[in-house]
Amino acid sequence: MFVFALAVVFKLISIQFIQGDEYRALAEKRTLRDFEIPANRGNVYSADGSLLATSIPKYDIRIDAIQPKDVVFEKYINALADSLSVYKGKPASYYKNIIRRARNNKNRYFLLARNISYSDYIRMRNFPLLELGAIQGGLIVEQTTRREHPMGEIAARSIGYERIDENNYATRVGLDGAFGEKYLRGVNGKRTKQKIGNGNWKPIYDFDKVEPKDGYDVYTTLDVNIQDIAHHALLAQLEKYKADHGCVVVMEVETGEIKAISNLGRNTNGHYYERLNYAVGESHEPGSTFKLMAVTAALEDRVIDTSDVVDTEKGILTFYGKKVRDSKHGGYGKISVSEAFEVSSNTGIVKAIDNAYRNKPSKFVDRLYAMNLNDSLDLPIIGEPSPIIPDPRVKNGRWSGIALQWMAYGYGVSFTPLQTLTFYNAIANNGEMVKPRFLREVKEYDRVVEPFEKKVINPRICSEETVKKVKQLLENVVEKEHGTGHRLYSENFSMAGKTGTCQKDYRNRDKLNYISSFAGFFPADNPKYSCIVVIHEPDKSVGYYGADVSGPVFKRIAQKIYTDTPIVDEIKNLDYKSNLVKNDFEGYYENSRKYRELMPNVVGMPAMDALALLENLPVGIKVKITGSGVVRKQSVDKHQKLQANQTIVLEAS
């Protein structure tokens, strides 16, 4: 027994003094832990400062019911119950009973309020007992944040989000996802918590161990007015034609700033919402909108001219057993390249390109490359696919005996709507291709952290002569009666563009569908904005041609932008001094100093200046003015002494 007792004493001494530090550290590790405090995510703003996305803080208020001493608890419990009753509506006795029950049950994590706003959090923090803080009052505050879009579903996909799961895998969508890690996310803080049983942890202190650093604010190029116009114009047309999905993008010609981007898809209930970012991430055969690229390449290579005549051969051409058809039965006969473009003759454009490049197709492809059509836009938004252009020198299975002819009218190639718009925008911008831009600047409060300037992809994709010719072709599509876009024509407003109607899933006739598009710019004579509208799978029984389905969206956006959106002409301040104005002011000032009780001579002065001068005299007179302009006569002669409440009549003309 004595030996056993010595062994126990030895073990106790060993644990206390030899292994004590190790066990104390282990105990602390199991009961104390640092938890991350999420930083407030930066806001996303439109170009005019309207809020597009923000993080709303929400708070859970709990109480460690056994933390307050008995004296303190009994002193404040009634007042706390009264405050909770006023705030939440139930009787004070109810709150007093449940808090006492929590204290009797040794509940150290009792919930008082969940998911409340910041203003309510400040209010509850000042309730009796809770105002004493974590140590004396047992207050426990837990903060979470929720991302909200004040504009609702409008541009929700392009504004986007960033979500990180429990495995630290991030899902990044739109601008919020693209710039989350670098700018918006901020730096998380740390807070020490103590384990209190049942898997719950409570903060030890009512302050953070490391304060979180808020993220930066991102200012986009989006214009909320134009965005609203584009969204509702697209939505109305999708509903009318019962289409599967569609997108619209509006870009500022000179700068490449994206002013609006809307992507709407249909759910199983037939409702449209921002399903995917089709404008950035969906690549497809463009159809007739690619005829602009084909004609521009041939004009720049000087292998065709707009006045050249081509034979559409009754509307059907055959290459290796495959047929190219015109939408007009019987074709257009012999027409110029210009008219072939304006009426969107497939056979006319294919015949012109085939004649020019049949023996040297790589020259056609090289010209497309020189105009940067093979380059991706390197956008910050994730998901942009690379353009597809068949090349006879590349052995990837895309080139064939009919590849050149099919490329001429937009088949076999593939682009996203934004890639197509970038080319049209370059034509509107006199040949200068600029990168589409979603951001203007990143700010921390009022300090600019990083500005985003205009980026030029290619200062001149083609000659000035070629630009003038193709711009005229695009104007003729709308202005001339035979143009496919003539129904968009307005005498009061000029537009230019190209219709596109592309077959989809054409290898399976049972699944055959259409992609209807319109791309162009406005006003035609001095382009300010470029725009593309793409609508997939419209109901064929209602209509599917680009001029019918997508063209009206383009026209509605163009007209409403210039009727609903104010145009501001900024005038710079001029540092200009006028001797006449200076002399008038000095004369006015001298009279106001000289005549304190005597009637001054105000004849020849502007009536408003004379009124101000007389009403500021210390004698307190009344002034009546008849007419307007310059004072011609005064009822009291100059240098006459004035009396209090005397009425002076000034005649002006």
Side-chain angles (χ1 to χ4, degrees):
M1 291 290 292
F2 179 71
V3 171
F4 179 75
L6 287 177
V8 170
V9 170
F10 175 77
K11 189 62 176 177
L12 289 174
I13 294 173
S14 175
I15 292 174
Q16 181 69 25
F17 297 104
I18 300 175
Q19 298 175 299
D21 293 339
E22 178 183 348
Y23 284 117
R24 276 189 288 271
L26 182 61
E28 186 172 307
K29 181 179 179 181
R30 290 181 176 177
T31 58
L32 297 178
R33 184 185 300 175
D34 286 340
F35 286 80
E36 278 199 342
I37 305 299
N40 289 325
R41 195 175 183 85
N43 295 329
V44 179
Y45 293 95
S46 68
D48 66 351
S50 299
L51 191 60
L52 301 179
T54 186
S55 294
I56 305 297
K58 296 295 181 180
Y59 300 87
D60 291 347
I61 305 298
R62 299 176 182 271
I63 186 171
D64 181 346
I66 65 173
Q67 181 67 28
K69 295 181 178 179
D70 290 341
V71 176
V72 174
F73 182 84
E74 295 300 332
K75 180 179 179 181
Y76 292 106
I77 182 60
N78 290 332
L80 174 60
D82 290 339
S83 296
L84 289 170
S85 175
V86 172
Y87 174 62
K88 303 187 76 172
K90 292 185 178 181
S93 59
Y94 169 79
Y95 295 105
K96 185 163 66 173
N97 289 336
I98 62 173
I99 295 173
R100 283 193 180 279
R101 191 180 307 121
R103 186 174 176 86
N104 293 335
N105 293 335
K106 299 187 180 338
N107 191 332
R108 309 198 67 175
Y109 201 62
F110 183 70
L111 180 67
L112 295 177
R114 184 189 298 277
N115 206 31
I116 63 175
S117 65
Y118 178 76
S119 58
D120 286 342
Y121 155 65
I122 294 299
R123 178 181 175 184
M124 287 195 68
R125 192 182 176 92
N126 291 312
F127 281 1
L129 187 62
L130 301 182
E131 65 182 352
L132 300 179
I135 303 301
Q136 297 185 49
L139 172 66
I140 300 173
V141 179
E142 295 182 328
Q143 177 184 338
T144 58
T145 57
R146 187 172 70 235
R147 200 69 168 167
E148 292 189 353
H149 293 168
M151 288 183 64
E153 283 298 309
I154 295 179
R157 197 74 190 179
S158 297
I159 296 168
Y161 57 84
E162 182 183 43
R163 294 173 184 162
I164 301 176
D165 62 17
E166 62 276 6
N167 298 319
N168 210 33
Y169 178 79
T171 302
R172 299 184 175 95
V173 174
L175 296 172
D176 208 315
F179 298 101
E181 186 174 8
K182 188 173 182 181
Y183 300 118
L184 291 165
R185 192 186 297 174
V187 180
N188 292 340
K190 289 184 179 181
R191 195 172 197 184
T192 302
K193 293 186 178 183
Q194 182 182 29
K195 193 171 185 179
I196 56 176
N198 295 325
N200 295 320
W201 298 77
K202 74 160 190 174
I204 295 180
Y205 312 106
D206 56 359
F207 56 87
D208 297 329
K209 182 177 181 180
V210 177
E211 290 295 330
K213 182 181 179 182
D214 294 346
Y216 296 135
D217 294 330
V218 167
Y219 284 76
T220 71
T221 60
L222 296 178
D223 183 302
V224 292
N225 293 321
I226 299 177
Q227 180 67 45
D228 185 66
I229 292 168
H231 174 88
H232 288 98
L234 176 64
L235 177 61
Q237 206 71 349
L238 288 172
E239 291 175 338
K240 178 180 178 180
Y241 283 90
K242 304 173 185 177
D244 182 72
H245 65 274
C247 68
V248 57
V249 184
V250 180
M251 184 190 299
E252 191 173 69
V253 169
E254 184 179 356
T255 65
E257 289 190 352
I258 301 300
K259 292 301 178 182
I261 179 169
S262 183
N263 302 276
L264 297 176
R266 187 177 58 191
N267 63 15
T268 54
N269 297 322
H271 297 120
Y272 292 94
Y273 69 107
E274 288 263 343
R275 190 169 69 186
L276 295 171
N277 200 331
Y278 304 110
V280 171
E282 184 177 42
S283 185
H284 58 84
E285 291 174 311
S288 292
T289 53
F290 187 77
K291 290 174 183 174
L292 175 67
M293 293 74 155
V295 170
T296 302
L299 287 172
E300 188 66 9
D301 283 338
R302 299 184 182 277
V303 293
I304 67 167
D305 196 16
T306 54
S307 59
D308 291 348
V309 176
V310 291
D311 187 356
T312 62
E313 298 186 17
K314 297 183 180 182
I316 299 177
L317 297 177
T318 303
F319 298 92
Y320 296 97
K322 302 292 184 179
K323 298 184 183 299
V324 178
R325 302 176 185 271
D326 275 330
S327 59
K328 180 183 177 182
H329 183 71
Y332 298 91
K334 293 182 178 181
I335 57 176
S336 67
V337 170
S338 174
E339 187 175 347
F341 184 88
E342 292 153 12
V343 300
S344 199
S345 168
N346 294 334
T347 58
I349 297 299
V350 170
K351 175 68 77 72
I353 297 300
D354 180 60
N355 290 341
Y357 294 104
R358 183 188 309 126
N359 298 322
K360 42 189 174 181
S362 58
K363 182 178 180 181
F364 178 68
V365 174
D366 287 339
R367 178 56 62 183
L368 298 179
Y369 289 172
M371 296 189 296
N372 298 92
L373 285 168
N374 197 43
D375 301 330
S376 63
L377 298 173
D378 191 25
L379 299 172
I381 295 179
I382 298 171
E384 181 199 10
S386 297
I388 295 175
I389 298 177
D391 189 328
R393 296 157 296 190
V394 178
K395 307 302 180 183
N396 56 9
R398 291 197 175 106
W399 189 263
S400 67
I402 60 172
L404 173 67
Q405 295 76 18
W406 259 242
M407 288 169 64
Y409 70 119
Y411 287 90
V413 293
S414 185
F415 302 93
T416 68
L418 192 53
Q419 289 165 351
T420 299
L421 179 61
T422 300
F423 186 87
Y424 275 75
N425 191 82
I427 297 300
N429 200 27
N430 297 318
E432 183 183 64
M433 181 179 282
V434 293
K435 180 179 179 178
R437 184 156 58 97
F438 290 89
L439 289 194
R440 276 192 173 177
E441 58 189 7
V442 175
K443 299 177 74 174
E444 182 181 31
Y445 303 109
D446 292 331
R447 181 178 71 89
V448 176
V449 176
E450 183 174 349
F452 291 83
E453 306 294 342
K454 166 183 172 181
K455 288 187 177 181
V456 178
I457 297 174
N458 189 336
R460 183 161 292 282
I461 63 170
C462 59
S463 66
E464 186 176 344
E465 179 185 0
T466 299
V467 168
K468 287 181 179 179
K469 288 181 179 180
V470 295
K471 285 178 79 172
Q472 188 60 56
L473 292 179
L474 293 169
E475 290 183 45
N476 293 345
V477 169
V478 177
E479 292 182 3
K480 290 195 173 182
E481 290 187 6
H482 62 246
T484 55
H486 184 66
R487 67 191 64 189
L488 308 180
Y489 175 71
S490 171
E491 293 182 354
N492 303 320
F493 188 78
S494 62
M495 294 169 283
K498 182 71 185 74
T499 58
T501 307
C502 178
Q503 291 186 355
K504 181 179 182 181
D505 299 323
Y506 45 82
R507 289 182 175 85
N508 186 338
R509 304 304 295 181
D510 295 332
K511 295 182 178 180
L512 177 65
N513 244 306
Y514 291 89
I515 303 172
S516 305
S517 57
F518 191 95
F521 48 84
F522 55 91
D525 52 349
N526 184 24
K528 173 70 174 174
Y529 297 106
S530 62
C531 176
I532 188 169
V533 182
V534 180
I535 294 179
H536 285 249
E537 302 178 26
D539 188 329
K540 295 189 287 291
S541 65
V542 183
Y544 57 85
Y545 285 109
D548 299 328
V549 181
S550 295
V553 179
F554 181 95
K555 181 178 181 179
R556 197 172 300 126
I557 291 170
Q559 289 186 326
K560 286 187 72 66
I561 283 177
Y562 273 87
T563 55
D564 294 1
T565 305
I567 299 175
V568 179
D569 289 329
E570 185 176 341
I571 301 176
K572 294 182 179 180
N573 293 328
L574 298 178
D575 186 13
Y576 176 75
K577 294 182 179 179
S578 171
N579 290 330
L580 179 61
V581 174
K582 182 180 179 181
N583 292 336
D584 283 349
F585 175 78
E586 289 180 349
Y588 171 87
Y589 181 74
E590 181 64 26
N591 284 336
S592 67
R593 301 274 297 178
K594 180 178 180 181
Y595 299 103
R596 307 295 291 172
E597 295 182 358
L598 300 179
M599 179 65 190
N601 181 17
V602 295
V603 175
M605 292 181 63
M608 290 298 100
D609 286 354
L611 176 65
L613 174 63
L614 295 175
E615 287 188 341
N616 282 286
L617 294 176
V619 289
I621 60 174
K622 298 178 181 179
V623 182
K624 182 179 180 181
I625 299 177
T626 60
S628 61
V630 178
V631 176
R632 300 303 179 189
K633 186 178 179 181
Q634 58 189 60
S635 62
V636 178
D637 294 334
K638 64 179 180 179
H639 301 157
Q640 295 293 319
K641 188 171 183 179
L642 299 172
Q643 304 294 326
N645 297 320
Q646 184 177 354
T647 300
I648 307 296
V649 179
L650 305 179
E651 296 180 14
S653 62

